[in-house]
């Protein structure tokens, strides 16, 4: 259709075409309307009538465009083929919406006229076939926007070159390369400078590669996160689809907390309020209706009410699409742990620079004082007699040695290890039904000391079923539903069918109806249809809805006022929390339809019934009704047409009990968290009895807890405590029932003030403040609203508490993996720095050449990070207490392990440096190779020690970590190649099998040393706290001495 140009008709031609062309009724009416509109506009321009007349004409135009064929449920098949009118201008629709242009909307025939033009039936939606959808995408575009392309690999390479250390190393490499070639020629002179270039290149490439992978992973997660499910009606069937599949003409269902997926018009609904702060910056909620403000904008949030929306603009044609296409996501988020490691890296780098500077000073002093000799035993520097080129070359050689120390001292592997670990854990957590939205949540979750969890859908299956029914004070069994009087049954039909945001649709095949909505709504609708025999379509036809008050977590109820079309009587219905509904009632119904006064005794019986059902883990929903006169209609304070529903003097209809069984793995997950030292607190809107029953079933409460006071509280009780009382009692609370979102926020704030690291689950819009306030916000992927998801750090995709426990395991695993690598890396750093420093100061030369140290750097940085940073969570991690908020990154246990291994390596390598030639009767070149080979193999064996920080058995579960074994194997193979085949490059000599065995045996001693060292107990008090204490003592002594001196001097002055 888009390829054919639409011909221009004058009025006569248009009329001729309308009467002679074979068109559907809807298309003919649209064209008649367009002709009428054209005629009216022509008349207006010629006659230049007054504004009032103009408005009247507009009204007539509206009536003309409002002519639609009336559609019944049986005529759905005749309705669906409605096609898009070729005169529809998508750009004009877009501009009309953006400008909130009501006049243009009236000219187009109002909302109904636009719907007809777009080939949409407001009740049954668009034709859902592929041809119709493709045609709409072709005409109006898809609901996607053009995002800026993600940063490429080259961008991260260039970014890495901005690092000051890299620039210093490049300068050193250039100097070493130039003077090396000058001294030794091109064939051998390039090795030192070239090796530093290779090291720099490796650091840049690995860093850029890891950042690039992180960027692409964030891009993938962003696509998953943005793939919101929206409910539409197509071909008379209500169905969930991806937001990206939405097309112009779709009818979308909106409820509280939903993100508006495209620009559209309000078709129908009740009490809809929209938060447009993301678009306009205004915090006030905007009221949307069909008369004064029918315009809805993509990116906004439904903050109250419910509605159906007609989509008129999608994707790049929306204001949100234009805005989002210019925003690029920033994946360069620095987590708290990364920030701490950056600081640690900087400190180690400074220490390395200090050592390198000392080595430089010492070696230059030795050279210029004549304490260095060449290979022939002749002094290298003899004063003015020394050739200037020789002096220059010697100085360059010394500077190169110092530069090498800088290269090996800077632990660029630390940030790399964190990036690899976080990226790996994010990928694995996705498989375990947890989508990480903020990197910092991975590591923070490992420190969690308290988890505040919802009940419904998290600890329970969220598969509701009505199992109990009380009518007034009478229990009604399933087989006895026929005893319910017909007029009472009709009241239940009104209460269920007209206070719901769910729907019932009859399937094309099969006799079982399809129910949509929340699990609670579906369960109630299923009960009313299948047990009471409700026909939803007939109920809706018999009544007109006057006002609808939607359910939310604060009110815990929904209400409706309706007019009976047959007798014009007005009825008010309320449905919701049983205890809350009961307080609104003064009468109650019996099964025969009689109404009785609800006296104190009757009310008490009703309360006991509710408590008994709740104690059986049932969610209690009650219904109440009142018939009112037109005069009794209450209006809001501003006098608007919106009515305030009657909330007192109601008649109690009955109670239903919905069973929502606990998730099979919930109890075990709770036990795992408790054994890990993490407190579980259940916060629910249900009453105390239901909350206690579920908490006991899930293992949150035990018999001892039930006897204690203050373990189970209600939200209002917690809210009314003084600040001091709350702070005193908050840790003892295990269950908070009847809670509001504000109570949850209050609990999180109190726990954080007590020093806890708090994780919170939430699914509602009102949970957003608590999710943001918590250290880790966990939203629900299935039941969670878009507002809740955006406020959270991690989305639990299956709404299961077991997945929350899995996130806790991964959080601890991330922290543990990083600690392993830090211990491994610092061992190498300390050993290499001390060995080179002592050797340089005492002998005037370093035992490990630049190429060799850079090779060690490659092993410990890249391969070590891969080997130790990708460990999976183990059960042992969940037996340790939580990592505190202020816990030091390098613990006393890590200091003990790394110092023991470093001292062993220093002792062995210095022995080889000074006595190796005589012990093994080898040449200096072979001895240097033995030192290099032993040092590398020590790191390989120490890699095994680093797998377990505290456990003596470092081999447990090693067969499951194939990546670790593979990396160790690769390291050994590369070392063999380095020593045996790259002799000129690595400055090594070939070693026979006996010397390989000697090197291996010396390195293997690190295993028994690691085993013995772990028997040594260490203080729990951080190591550096002692240094701080001694520093304070020193300051105190200094001040004391100063004051004494001052006092004595003043005494002398007075004398």
């Amino acid at each position: 259709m888009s390829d054919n140009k639409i011909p221009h008709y004058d009025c006569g031609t248009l009329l001729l075409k309308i009467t002679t062309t074979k068109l559907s009724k809807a298309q003919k009416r649209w064209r008649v309307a367009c002709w009428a509109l054209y005629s009216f506009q022509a008349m207006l321009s010629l006659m230049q009538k007054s504004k009032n007349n103009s408005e009247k004409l507009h009204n007539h135009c509206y009536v003309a465009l409002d002519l639609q064929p009336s559609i019944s449920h049986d005529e759905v098949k005749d309705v669906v083929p409605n096609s898009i009118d070729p005169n529809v201008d998508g750009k004009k629709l877009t501009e009309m919406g953006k400008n909130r242009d009501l006049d243009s909307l009236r000219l187009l025939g109002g909302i109904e006229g636009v719907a007809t033009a777009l080939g949409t039936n407001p009740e049954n939606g668009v034709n859902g076939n592929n041809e119709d959808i493709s045609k709409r995408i072709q005409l109006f575009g898809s609901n996607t926007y053009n995002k800026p392309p993600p940063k490429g690999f080259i961008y991260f390479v260039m970014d890495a070159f901005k690092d000051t250390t890299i620039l210093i190393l490049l300068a050193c490499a250039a100097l070493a390369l130039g003077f090396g070639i000058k001294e030794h020629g091109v064939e051998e002179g390039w090795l030192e400078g070239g090796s530093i270039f290779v090291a720099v290149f490796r650091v840049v490439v690995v860093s850029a590669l890891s950042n690039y992978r992180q960027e692409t992973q964030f891009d993938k997660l962003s696509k998953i996160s943005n793939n919101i499910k929206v409910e539409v009606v197509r071909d008379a069937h209500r169905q969930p689809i991806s937001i990206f599949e939405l097309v112009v003409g779709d009818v979308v269902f909106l409820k509280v907390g939903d993100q508006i997926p495209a620009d559209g018009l309000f078709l129908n609904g009740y009490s809809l309020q929209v938060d447009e702060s993301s678009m306009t910056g205004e915090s006030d909620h905007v009221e949307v209706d069909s008369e004064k403000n029918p315009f809805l904008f993509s990116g906004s949030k439904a903050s109250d009410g419910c509605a159906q929306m007609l989509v008129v603009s999608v994707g790049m044609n929306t204001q949100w699409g234009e805005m989002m296409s210019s925003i690029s996501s920033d994946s360069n988020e620095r987590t708290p742990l990364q920030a701490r490691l950056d600081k640690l890296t900087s400190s180690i780098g400074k220490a390395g620079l200090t050592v390198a500077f000392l080595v430089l000073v010492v070696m230059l002093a030795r050279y210029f004082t004549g304490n260095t000799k060449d290979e022939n035993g002749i002094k290298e520097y003899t004063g003015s007699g020394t050739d200037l080129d020789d002096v220059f070359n010697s100085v360059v050689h010394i500077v190169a040695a110092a530069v090498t120390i800088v290269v090996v001292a800077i632990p660029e592997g630390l940030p790399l290890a964190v990036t690899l670990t976080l990226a790996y854990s994010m990928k694995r957590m996705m498989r375990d039904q947890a989508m990480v939205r903020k990197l910092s949540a991975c590591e923070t979750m490992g420190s969690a000391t308290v988890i505040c969890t919802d009940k419904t859908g998290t600890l329970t299956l969220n598969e509701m079923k009505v199992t109990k029914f009380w009518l007034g004070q009478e229990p009604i069994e399933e087989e006895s539903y026929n005893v319910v009087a017909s007029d009472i049954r009709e009241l239940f039909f009104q209460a269920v069918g007209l206070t719901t945001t769910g729907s019932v649709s009859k399937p094309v095949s099969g006799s079982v109806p399809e129910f949509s909505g929340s699990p609670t709504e579906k369960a109630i609708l299923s009960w009313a249809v299948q047990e009471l025999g409700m026909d939803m379509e007939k109920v809706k036809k018999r009544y007109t809805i006057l006002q609808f008050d939607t359910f939310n977590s604060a009110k815990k109820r929904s209400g409706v006022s309706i007019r009976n079309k047959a007798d014009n009587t007005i009825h008010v219905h309320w449905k919701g929390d049983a205890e809350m509904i009961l307080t609104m009632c003064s009468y109650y119904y019996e099964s025969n339809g009689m109404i009785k006064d609800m006296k104190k005794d009757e009310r008490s019986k009703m309360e006991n019934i509710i408590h008994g059902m709740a104690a059986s883990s049932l969610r209690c929903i009650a219904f109440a009704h009142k018939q009112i006169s037109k005069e009794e209609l209450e209006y809001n304070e501003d006098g608007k047409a919106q009515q305030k529903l009657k909330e007192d003097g109601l008649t109690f209809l009955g109670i239903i009990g919905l069973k929502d069984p606990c998730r099979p793995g919930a109890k075990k997950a709770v036990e795992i968290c408790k054994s890990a030292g993490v407190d579980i607190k259940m916060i629910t809107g249900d009453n105390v009895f239901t909350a206690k029953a579920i908490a006991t079933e899930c293992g949150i409460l035990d018999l001892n807890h039930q006897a204690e006071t203050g373990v189970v509280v209600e939200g209002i009780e917690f809210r009314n405590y003084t600040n001091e009382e709350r702070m005193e009692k908050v840790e003892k609370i295990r269950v908070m029932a009847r809670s509001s979102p504000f109570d949850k926020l209050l609990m999180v704030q109190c726990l954080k003030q007590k020093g806890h690291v708090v994780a919170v689950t939430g699914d509602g819009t009102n949970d957003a403040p608590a999710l943001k306030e918590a250290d880790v916000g966990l939203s629900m992927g299935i039941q969670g609203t878009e507002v809740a998801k955006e406020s959270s750090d991690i989305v639990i995709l299956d709404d299961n508490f077991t997945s929350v426990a899995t996130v806790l395991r991964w959080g601890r695993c991330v922290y543990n993996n990083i600690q392993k690598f830090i211990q491994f890396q610092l061992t190498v750093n300390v050993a290499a720095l001390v060995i080179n420093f002592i050797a340089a100061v005492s002998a005037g030369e370093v035992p490990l050449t630049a190429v060799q140290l850079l090779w060690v750097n490659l092993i410990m940085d890249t391969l070590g990070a891969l080997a130790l940073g990708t460990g999976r969570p183990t059960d042992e991690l969940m037996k340790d207490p939580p990592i505190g908020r202020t816990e030091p990154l390098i613990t006393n246990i890590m200091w003990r392990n790394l110092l023991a291994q470093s001292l062993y390596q220093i002792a062995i390598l210095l022995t080889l440096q000074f006595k190796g030639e005589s012990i093994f009767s080898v040449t200096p070149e072979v001895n240097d190779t033995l030192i290099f080979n032993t040092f590398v193999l020590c790191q390989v064996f120490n890699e095994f020690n680093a797998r377990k920080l505290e456990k003596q058995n470092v081999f447990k579960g090693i067969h499951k970590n194939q990546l670790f074994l593979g990396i160790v194997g690769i390291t050994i193979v590369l070392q063999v190649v380095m020593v045996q085949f790259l002799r000129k490059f690595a400055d090594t000599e070939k070693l026979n099998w006996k010397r390989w065995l000697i090197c291996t045996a010396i390195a293997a001693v690190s295993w028994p040393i690691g085993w013995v060292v772990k028997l040594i107990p260490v203080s729990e008090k951080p190591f550096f706290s002692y240094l701080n204490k001694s520093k304070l003592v020193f300051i105190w002594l200094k001040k004391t001495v100063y004051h004494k001196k001052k006092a004595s001097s003043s005494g002398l002055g007075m004398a």
Side-chain angles (χ1 to χ4, degrees):
M1 181 184 284
S2 59
D3 296 335
N4 302 327
K5 291 184 178 178
I6 299 167
H8 177 74
Y9 296 116
D10 59 23
C11 291
T13 311
L14 183 61
L15 276 172
L16 182 66
K17 286 283 182 182
I18 289 170
T19 53
T20 58
T21 309
K22 289 184 178 179
L23 297 169
S24 68
K25 288 180 181 180
Q27 287 174 318
K28 283 183 180 180
R29 283 175 178 150
W30 172 251
R31 293 199 175 183
V32 168
C34 288
W35 173 78
L37 177 60
Y38 179 85
S39 302
F40 281 130
Q41 285 176 323
M43 288 165 67
L44 283 171
S45 61
L46 290 169
M47 298 170 68
Q48 295 183 344
K49 286 194 173 184
S50 66
K51 188 178 178 182
N52 291 336
N53 289 338
S54 173
E55 287 179 358
K56 287 178 184 177
L57 287 169
H58 286 173
N59 288 337
H60 287 304
C61 174
Y62 176 87
V63 173
L65 286 175
D66 195 39
L67 294 171
Q68 296 185 62
S70 60
I71 302 160
S72 68
H73 183 73
D74 298 323
E75 295 174 322
V76 170
K77 290 183 180 177
D78 296 328
V79 171
V80 169
N82 280 354
S83 58
I84 304 163
D85 194 279
N87 293 314
V88 174
D89 188 339
K91 288 183 180 177
K92 284 185 179 178
L93 286 176
T94 300
E95 288 302 315
M96 174 194 72
K98 285 180 183 177
N99 300 325
R100 299 180 191 262
D101 192 344
L102 282 169
D103 290 334
S104 295
L105 180 60
R106 290 192 191 102
L107 287 171
L108 292 171
I111 298 166
E112 292 81 359
V114 173
T116 306
L118 294 174
T120 301
N121 178 276
E123 290 182 16
N124 303 299
V126 299
N127 191 330
N129 62 41
N130 293 334
E131 185 182 349
D132 182 57
I133 300 301
S134 301
K135 186 178 176 182
R136 290 173 187 276
I137 292 171
Q138 187 181 3
L139 287 173
F140 305 108
S142 63
N143 198 29
T144 54
Y145 51 84
N146 303 324
K147 285 181 67 179
K151 299 181 184 85
F153 177 70
I154 300 300
Y155 170 87
F156 291 108
V157 170
M158 299 306 292
D159 191 57
F161 277 113
K162 294 175 185 176
D163 188 89
T164 309
T165 309
I166 296 295
L167 295 174
I168 292 169
L169 292 176
L170 283 173
C172 293
L175 286 171
L177 186 66
F179 293 123
I181 291 171
K182 183 179 179 299
E183 185 180 356
H184 303 290
V186 177
E187 214 172 297
E188 292 185 14
W190 69 272
L191 290 175
E192 291 250 335
S195 65
I196 298 174
F197 270 120
V198 169
V200 172
F201 176 74
R202 177 187 64 79
V203 171
V204 167
V205 168
V206 171
S207 174
L209 192 63
S210 64
N211 287 330
Y212 173 68
R213 286 192 65 184
Q214 187 175 319
E215 172 82 6
T216 53
Q217 191 159 353
F218 261 95
D219 194 49
K220 287 178 185 175
L221 286 174
S222 175
K223 285 176 183 174
I224 296 167
S225 179
N226 293 334
N227 189 14
I228 301 164
K229 292 291 180 186
V230 294
E231 271 201 296
V232 300
V233 59
R234 286 182 179 177
D235 200 7
H237 286 280
R238 191 165 165 174
Q239 54 191 280
I241 63 166
S242 165
I243 191 173
F244 303 128
E245 295 171 5
L246 205 66
V247 293
V248 169
D250 263 326
V251 174
V252 180
F253 293 88
L254 299 174
K255 60 182 184 299
V256 176
D258 282 353
Q259 178 177 314
I260 294 168
D263 287 1
L265 298 170
F266 178 94
L267 271 176
N268 58 67
Y270 307 96
S271 312
L272 183 66
Q273 290 194 333
V274 174
D275 176 8
E276 295 183 355
S277 57
S278 59
M279 300 293 298
T280 63
E282 297 292 332
S283 58
D284 291 340
H285 293 171
V286 178
E287 198 171 311
V288 180
D289 55 33
S290 56
E291 297 296 326
K292 296 179 181 177
N293 179 30
F295 302 104
L296 292 157
F297 297 99
S298 177
S300 305
K301 309 285 190 310
S303 55
D304 198 9
C306 61
Q308 291 175 39
M309 178 187 87
L310 174 68
V311 176
V312 295
S313 298
V314 292
M316 290 301 295
N317 295 324
T318 67
Q319 198 171 339
W320 180 256
E322 289 175 10
M323 186 171 73
M324 292 303 290
S325 65
S326 62
I327 299 172
S328 59
S329 59
D330 182 18
S331 65
N332 296 325
E333 172 199 357
R334 304 300 290 169
T335 73
L337 187 57
Q338 282 178 319
R340 287 169 77 183
L341 282 176
D342 287 345
K343 194 174 178 181
L344 180 65
T345 304
S346 175
S347 301
I348 295 170
K350 286 174 185 174
L353 282 168
T354 304
V355 172
F357 179 73
L358 289 172
V359 168
L360 181 66
V361 170
V362 170
M363 290 182 75
L364 284 173
R366 285 174 58 85
Y367 175 76
F368 286 110
T369 54
N371 288 318
T372 55
K373 297 177 181 179
D374 61 15
E375 294 172 356
N376 302 317
I378 302 168
K379 281 186 180 182
E380 290 184 315
Y381 183 76
T382 56
S384 57
T386 310
D387 187 57
L388 196 61
D389 277 354
D390 292 338
V391 173
F392 200 71
N393 288 335
S394 297
V395 169
V396 167
H397 182 72
I398 291 168
V399 170
V403 166
T404 304
I405 290 173
V406 174
V407 173
V408 79
I410 295 171
E412 68 274 8
L414 283 179
L416 174 63
V418 179
T419 306
L420 285 172
T421 303
L422 290 174
Y424 175 76
S425 61
M426 280 176 69
K427 193 174 180 181
R428 298 296 305 187
M429 284 166 78
M430 192 71 185
R431 293 183 193 176
D432 290 338
Q433 302 299 314
M435 185 180 76
V436 179
R437 296 184 75 253
K438 292 181 183 174
L439 263 180
S440 57
C442 286
E443 62 199 44
T444 311
M445 194 64 191
S447 305
T449 56
V450 177
I451 297 174
C452 298
T453 178
D454 288 333
K455 175 185 77 70
T456 306
T458 309
L459 293 168
T460 62
L461 285 167
N462 209 12
E463 294 175 0
M464 303 283 189
K465 186 181 179 183
V466 176
T467 58
K468 291 281 184 184
F469 173 34
W470 286 72
L471 205 165
Q473 296 183 7
E474 300 173 54
I476 309 294
E477 301 299 329
E478 278 188 42
E479 59 273 10
S480 307
Y481 281 166
N482 56 353
V483 304
V484 180
S486 59
D487 55 340
I488 299 294
R489 198 182 287 258
E490 182 64 24
L491 288 175
F492 270 107
F493 292 166
Q494 296 170 23
V496 173
L498 302 175
T499 61
T500 183
T501 53
S503 66
V504 181
S505 57
K506 293 177 181 176
V508 178
S509 59
S511 57
V512 181
E514 294 175 1
F515 304 98
S516 64
S518 70
T520 305
E521 293 283 11
K522 287 196 285 188
I524 297 172
L525 285 171
S526 173
W527 168 75
V529 171
Q530 296 178 346
E531 304 297 339
L532 295 183
M534 180 182 78
D535 188 322
M536 191 85 156
E537 288 291 329
K538 289 180 180 177
V539 171
K540 285 186 174 180
K541 285 177 183 176
R542 288 200 294 265
Y543 302 95
T544 301
I545 294 176
L546 303 176
Q547 175 64 20
F548 185 33
D549 198 347
T550 53
F551 179 91
N552 66 41
S553 56
K555 294 182 294 189
K556 294 183 171 51
R557 59 187 178 179
S558 61
V560 67
S561 62
I562 57 173
R563 178 184 283 113
N564 190 326
K565 291 179 181 177
D567 57 14
N568 277 332
T569 54
I570 298 171
H571 302 262
V572 172
H573 283 276
W574 283 99
K575 175 187 79 179
D577 176 80
E579 288 178 323
M580 199 168 283
I581 297 295
L582 185 62
T583 60
M584 300 161 66
C585 298
S586 304
Y587 312 93
Y588 69 95
Y589 280 103
E590 291 187 329
S591 59
N592 57 11
M594 295 288 291
I595 298 176
K596 289 197 171 184
D597 283 339
M598 189 179 290
K599 296 176 183 175
K600 191 176 180 181
D601 290 344
E602 278 74 19
R603 190 178 297 277
S604 180
K605 284 179 184 176
M606 296 282 190
E607 288 172 351
N608 289 336
I609 290 166
I610 294 168
H611 295 164
M613 291 170 71
S616 303
S617 306
L618 297 181
R619 170 177 277 188
C620 301
I621 303 292
F623 303 90
H625 159 262
K626 184 170 187 176
Q627 182 176 330
I628 60 172
S629 63
K630 191 175 181 181
E631 291 74 26
E632 287 181 275
L633 285 174
E634 296 181 16
Y635 291 86
N636 291 341
E637 292 175 6
D638 55 9
K640 288 184 181 178
Q642 251 191 344
Q643 298 144 8
K644 187 178 178 183
L645 296 179
K646 194 81 174 170
E647 295 184 3
D648 56 0
L650 304 177
T651 304
F652 195 79
L653 263 175
I655 318 164
I656 55 172
L658 292 91
K659 182 70 175 175
D660 185 13
C662 277
R663 287 186 179 273
K667 188 170 185 178
K668 188 178 178 183
V670 167
E671 286 172 1
I672 289 169
C673 291
K674 286 167 91 173
S675 68
V678 179
D679 281 339
I680 308 297
K681 298 183 188 297
M682 188 177 87
I683 303 174
T684 177
D686 283 335
N687 67 33
V688 172
F689 300 96
T690 308
K692 272 186 180 179
I694 294 292
T696 305
E697 197 175 337
C698 292
I700 294 170
L701 286 179
D702 54 33
L703 295 174
N704 296 330
H705 285 138
Q706 296 212 15
E708 290 181 51
T709 56
V711 173
V712 180
V713 298
E714 288 195 344
I716 192 167
E717 182 185 348
F718 183 74
R719 205 180 313 143
N720 292 333
Y721 286 151
T722 63
N723 287 334
E724 292 75 18
E725 286 176 325
R726 267 198 296 271
M727 294 300 288
E728 183 187 336
K729 297 178 179 182
V730 69
E731 289 180 318
K732 191 178 180 182
I733 295 169
R734 291 286 176 273
V735 175
M736 185 156 68
R738 286 271 173 263
S739 68
S740 69
F742 175 75
D743 299 326
K744 186 185 281 190
L745 174 63
L746 202 57
M747 176 168 272
V748 172
Q749 288 170 339
C750 289
L751 288 166
K752 285 183 74 176
Q753 285 173 34
K754 294 282 281 186
H756 288 283
V757 178
V758 187
V760 170
T761 69
D763 55 11
T765 302
N766 292 329
D767 288 327
L771 289 167
K772 283 184 176 178
E773 180 69 26
D775 294 289
V776 182
L778 303 154
S779 64
M780 300 296 115
I782 300 170
Q783 289 301 314
T785 64
E786 292 311 312
V787 176
K789 288 176 190 174
E790 284 185 14
S791 302
S792 66
D793 306 303
I794 297 173
V795 180
I796 304 298
L797 299 174
D798 60 355
D799 289 16
N800 194 339
F801 187 79
T802 307
S803 299
V804 177
T806 304
V807 171
L808 181 66
R809 285 163 62 96
W810 271 109
R812 291 193 173 192
C813 181
V814 166
Y815 204 89
N816 188 250
N817 285 347
I818 291 166
Q819 283 188 318
K820 289 175 188 175
F821 181 74
I822 289 171
Q823 179 184 295
F824 173 69
Q825 170 129 38
L826 290 185
T827 303
V828 184
N829 279 113
V830 171
L833 282 173
V834 172
I835 291 162
N836 273 9
F837 178 71
I838 293 173
V841 170
S842 59
E845 58 182 22
V846 289
L848 299 169
T849 66
V851 177
Q852 290 169 354
L853 280 174
L854 292 168
W855 167 237
V856 172
N857 213 15
L858 171 66
I859 293 171
M860 74 177 184
D861 281 354
T862 315
L863 299 179
L866 275 171
L868 296 170
T870 53
R872 295 192 185 183
T874 61
D875 293 335
E876 291 171 2
L877 288 171
M878 299 301 282
K879 292 173 185 174
D880 298 327
I883 304 155
R885 193 188 290 273
T886 55
E887 189 83 13
L889 193 58
I890 306 174
T891 63
N892 289 354
I893 290 165
M894 293 166 67
W895 280 118
R896 177 196 64 191
N897 297 342
L898 75 87
L899 287 174
Q901 294 295 338
S902 297
L903 289 171
Y904 171 69
Q905 291 179 22
I906 291 165
I908 286 296
L909 296 178
L910 287 177
T911 303
L912 290 175
Q913 169 71 13
F914 296 109
K915 299 290 182 182
E917 293 175 32
S918 58
I919 292 172
F920 298 110
S921 303
V922 292
T923 62
E925 290 78 13
V926 173
N927 189 52
D928 286 344
T929 305
L930 284 172
I931 291 171
F932 167 59
N933 201 35
T934 303
F935 187 57
V936 170
L937 291 176
C938 277
Q939 311 323 317
V940 172
F941 280 91
N942 194 37
E943 214 162 354
F944 286 86
N945 287 327
R947 287 189 70 245
K948 307 284 181 183
L949 297 178
E950 293 185 69
K951 303 292 179 184
Q952 290 176 294
N953 183 6
V954 296
F955 304 105
K956 187 178 179 181
I958 199 166
H959 60 284
K960 295 177 184 176
N961 197 340
Q962 295 176 350
L963 182 63
F964 179 87
L965 293 173
I967 288 169
V968 169
I970 290 167
T971 304
I972 293 169
V973 169
L974 290 174
Q975 178 64 12
V976 170
V977 171
M978 197 80 169
V979 171
Q980 301 296 106
F981 302 103
L982 299 176
R983 289 179 294 159
K984 190 173 281 189
F985 175 74
D987 198 14
T988 57
E989 293 292 326
K990 272 190 177 182
L991 299 178
N992 57 36
W993 66 270
K994 287 181 181 179
R995 287 169 185 158
W996 271 98
L997 279 177
I998 290 167
C999 293
T1000 306
I1002 293 169
V1005 175
S1006 63
W1007 280 353
I1009 288 173
W1011 191 88
V1012 171
V1013 161
K1014 286 172 185 174
L1015 293 171
I1016 302 170
V1018 292
S1019 170
E1020 291 184 7
K1021 196 170 184 180
F1023 174 71
F1024 282 105
S1025 65
Y1026 294 105
L1027 296 178
N1028 290 335
K1029 192 175 279 185
S1030 60
K1031 190 178 178 182
L1032 288 170
V1033 170
F1034 175 75
I1035 292 167
W1036 178 79
L1037 286 170
K1038 191 176 177 183
K1039 282 182 178 179
T1040 306
V1041 171
Y1042 172 75
H1043 285 304
K1044 281 183 178 179
K1045 281 183 178 179
K1046 194 174 180 182
S1048 61
S1049 61
S1050 62
L1052 287 168
M1054 286 173 70

